[in-house]
Amino acid sequence: HIAEIWHRRWNEAHLGRGFVAIVKARTRDTFHTRAKEKLAHTTLAMIGDDIAGFLMVQGDEIEQLFVSKDHRGCGIGKALLAEAERKLTIAGHSQVWLAVVPRNFEARCFYEKCGWLDEGEFEYHAEV
């Protein structure tokens, strides 16, 4: 189920924003494979038996944070972000970071409301 949320929400964030090659390369199967590989770095937000969202941290980066469409607007994203910040602080990182697609205004607004600052564009080498 993590892979399904990730695939759906990731595509919503990237489609139509100039990332043709990576969108084409990241099929549903690649999300299933990557979700299994990153399970040790994954935290789930559960509502009953449903996975409402998840986060993945790697080093000092909040690598992925997605909330299922059915559970958006309920504070899940804020709770996951706070948990990511807590985990990374405990791990000794004084500064943490995340990358957001340049024209993903919804995500940028969310992080800004949570106190994060946009430090500008940079080149991000994403896994394919």
Side-chain angles (χ1 to χ4, degrees):
H1 194 68
I2 296 167
E4 290 301 318
I5 294 169
W6 191 5
H7 177 256
R8 188 174 309 114
R9 303 296 294 145
W10 187 90
N11 274 289
E12 289 171 6
H14 289 78
L15 285 173
R17 293 191 167 102
F19 298 93
V20 177
I22 197 165
V23 168
K24 192 174 185 177
R26 287 195 177 170
T27 64
R28 177 173 267 110
D29 289 342
T30 64
F31 283 90
H32 283 275
T33 300
R34 292 176 71 222
K36 288 177 190 171
E37 293 170 353
K38 296 180 179 288
L39 205 51
H41 304 283
T42 303
T43 300
L44 302 178
M46 303 292 296
I47 295 183
D49 293 334
D50 290 337
I51 297 174
F54 69 92
L55 70 90
M56 295 175 179
V57 295
Q58 186 70 41
D60 61 350
E61 178 187 10
I62 300 172
E63 187 180 34
Q64 307 293 334
L65 192 159
F66 289 102
V67 176
S68 74
K69 200 166 199 137
D70 294 341
H71 298 293
R72 298 191 69 204
C74 301
I76 302 293
K78 286 181 184 179
L80 285 169
L81 185 59
E83 177 63 7
E85 292 169 340
R86 187 190 72 77
K87 284 180 169 230
L88 292 169
T89 299
I90 288 171
H93 300 290
S94 58
Q95 186 171 359
V96 300
W97 66 283
L98 53 83
V100 178
V101 175
R103 292 178 300 213
N104 186 345
F105 301 114
E106 184 179 14
R108 289 176 172 281
C109 182
F110 165 75
Y111 291 116
E112 189 175 299
K113 284 181 181 178
C114 291
W116 283 66
L117 301 175
D118 185 344
E119 295 193 3
E121 290 188 27
F122 65 99
E123 191 170 325
Y124 184 81
H125 298 283
E127 294 176 39
V128 178

